[in-house]
Amino acid sequence: MLNKIETQLVNNILDALQCAKAAVSLLPQLPPNIKPVYFRILNAIYKLNHYTGRPRISDISKESGLLLPNTTKVINEMVELNILEKFTPDFDKRVVLVRATELGEQYIQKYIVSFIESLEKQLSRINEIECIIMIDTIYKVHQAIKTVYHEQEPEKDAIN
């Protein structure tokens, strides 16, 4: 049984997660018919271009944290919308690479690069160590919630 201090701490953590969700909702307004997952893909491509210069679909999947079949599906949607293009390099026709089209590059500049630059200025007011601890803690809290969820899943099935 949790005592009041521990119960209050758990409630404060849940409140902080709601605050984090509200912060995410303040991300730049997307153009009509553009899904938020598209920007996850564009951000992954932007980062990978700096690392490798030639992002493959599997690289984008890993960087974005999406499963490979989902990544492929989303990339195909983005190709249809002329945001991305797929191509095979001359050096290896077995490989499919992805790059942003002119429209995709505009999205990257407006919704990723400029937003991140502005956010970097604001976050520079926070100590780097505090940011690292926060990131680590969020992942640990996520894992704890996931564990509780999976532990309670059989109970949920028994109730239904």
Side-chain angles (χ1 to χ4, degrees):
M1 187 80 176
L2 291 175
N3 63 36
K4 287 189 184 277
I5 294 172
E6 291 169 333
T7 299
Q8 187 58 49
L9 183 60
V10 169
N11 286 324
N12 289 346
I13 289 169
L14 293 173
D15 289 345
L17 291 174
Q18 286 294 351
C19 182
K21 183 178 178 182
V24 170
S25 74
L26 296 173
L27 293 174
Q29 185 67 36
L30 305 178
N33 301 322
I34 300 298
K35 299 176 185 177
V37 70
Y38 294 173
F39 288 94
R40 240 170 118 178
I41 298 291
L42 287 172
N43 192 35
I45 291 169
Y46 172 72
K47 289 191 268 186
L48 288 166
N49 279 335
H50 287 27
Y51 302 144
T52 65
R54 294 190 166 102
R56 298 174 299 170
I57 294 175
S58 58
D59 300 328
I60 296 166
S61 173
K62 288 176 191 166
E63 185 66 36
S64 67
L66 298 171
L67 297 173
L68 185 58
N70 296 344
T71 304
T72 302
K73 179 182 177 275
V74 172
I75 286 173
N76 287 337
E77 290 174 13
M78 295 173 75
V79 167
E80 288 293 316
L81 293 170
N82 194 36
I83 298 169
L84 297 178
E85 60 185 359
K86 297 190 292 187
F87 66 100
T88 55
D90 292 335
F91 61 85
D92 189 349
K93 295 294 182 188
R94 299 169 297 169
V95 175
V96 176
L97 302 178
V98 179
R99 66 177 160 226
T101 62
E102 187 176 325
L103 177 61
E105 285 296 334
Q106 289 172 10
Y107 287 162
I108 287 171
Q109 287 304 311
K110 181 175 181 179
Y111 296 99
I112 295 169
V113 175
S114 67
F115 182 76
I116 287 173
E117 287 173 354
S118 297
L119 193 54
E120 282 173 354
K121 289 176 191 170
Q122 292 300 313
L123 292 177
S124 68
R125 299 174 183 172
I126 302 171
N127 180 300
E128 184 177 352
I129 293 171
E130 290 175 312
C131 289
I132 292 168
I133 291 169
M134 182 224 27
I135 293 163
D136 185 53
T137 303
I138 287 172
Y139 283 115
K140 287 176 181 174
V141 168
H142 175 258
Q143 188 58 49
I145 292 171
K146 200 166 141 181
T147 300
V148 169
Y149 173 82
H150 289 301
E151 287 173 354
Q152 292 183 350
E153 231 173 356
E155 292 175 25
K156 184 177 74 174
D157 292 338
I159 292 170
N160 294 329

